[in-house]
Amino acid sequence: MDTALWIIIAVIVVIILLVALLFFLRKRRELRRTKAQRIRENAAGDMSELRRREATAQEAQAHARKVQAEADAKAAEARRLNEQARAHEGHAAEKRDEVQSTLAHADKLDPDVRAEGERRDDDRHLGTPGHKHELGDSRGGNQPVGNQPSGNQPGGNRLGDHLPGGNPTRNPQQPPRDVP
């Protein structure tokens, strides 16, 4: 009976070991399921963060496209305005040349204007035409034309001096001359 007892004890020990092994494997499987579930929950939290970031990125891209379209429109408008300004400058230059030519022709016809373009009697005829005229440039400023003196110098007349009342833009520091 000794042998039979030892066989029964061995079988019982093997059964206990198998049950313990099965219990251990189930426990291990359960731990792995729990760990996998935690990882999935973290991934789900990361997925919502990912979706939020993707939405933010898409909004930023849409805003960038909108701003780029506005910038392109403004650049096109700037190009159009530059072309328009150049056209206006060209027209102003043509008109300036035309007015200068008209004034030069008037000076040629005026018997009171010397060949040099100065009046014979500058003191008596202040504010009447002379050859030395100054026209504004196309940018709106008043620049002397060629090597002619500005209207602030003796003998230099500005556009408008040909009109009654003389030049309304006279230098306020230059005292007006009295006509005798």
Side-chain angles (χ1 to χ4, degrees):
M1 200 163 158
D2 266 345
T3 320
L5 184 65
W6 284 110
I7 291 178
I8 293 175
I9 292 176
V11 170
I12 292 176
V13 169
V14 169
I15 291 175
I16 292 175
L17 286 176
L18 285 174
V19 169
L21 181 63
L22 286 176
F23 181 76
F24 174 74
L25 289 176
R26 279 190 190 162
K27 193 70 166 172
R28 184 172 159 210
R29 192 178 306 155
E30 192 62 36
L31 287 174
R32 290 179 79 184
R33 276 191 193 119
T34 305
K35 186 175 181 180
Q37 185 62 30
R38 259 187 280 136
I39 290 171
R40 284 187 188 103
E41 289 172 1
N42 289 340
D46 291 344
M47 185 64 83
S48 65
E49 176 69 18
L50 171 67
R51 287 185 182 135
R52 187 184 63 77
R53 288 185 182 189
E54 285 176 340
T56 302
Q58 288 174 352
E59 288 173 11
Q61 286 175 347
H63 183 68
R65 284 190 298 271
K66 178 183 173 186
V67 169
Q68 183 64 45
E70 290 172 358
D72 291 345
K74 286 183 181 184
E77 177 70 8
R79 283 190 299 274
R80 185 186 68 77
L81 290 173
N82 280 333
E83 290 172 8
Q84 187 178 15
R86 281 193 293 274
H88 287 303
E89 287 174 352
H91 294 306
E94 289 172 7
K95 190 64 175 178
R96 183 176 43 252
D97 292 343
E98 180 183 320
V99 169
Q100 186 65 33
S101 173
T102 302
L103 292 174
H105 179 69
D107 288 343
K108 285 180 185 178
L109 294 177
D110 191 347
D112 292 333
V113 176
R114 293 184 201 153
E116 302 88 40
E118 294 182 7
R119 302 218 25 101
R120 291 187 183 163
D121 244 343
D122 281 340
D123 290 338
R124 285 188 325 153
H125 301 285
L126 181 66
T128 59
H131 179 67
K132 301 206 177 191
H133 301 284
E134 184 177 304
L135 299 176
D137 69 2
S138 63
R139 292 177 299 275
N142 285 328
Q143 300 292 328
V145 175
N147 60 359
Q148 298 170 355
S150 71
N152 294 338
Q153 297 175 354
N157 296 322
R158 289 183 183 261
L159 184 63
D161 283 346
H162 293 65
L163 302 175
N167 182 6
T169 60
R170 176 188 313 186
N171 183 351
Q173 295 176 351
Q174 180 182 9
R177 295 185 194 173
D178 293 330
V179 178

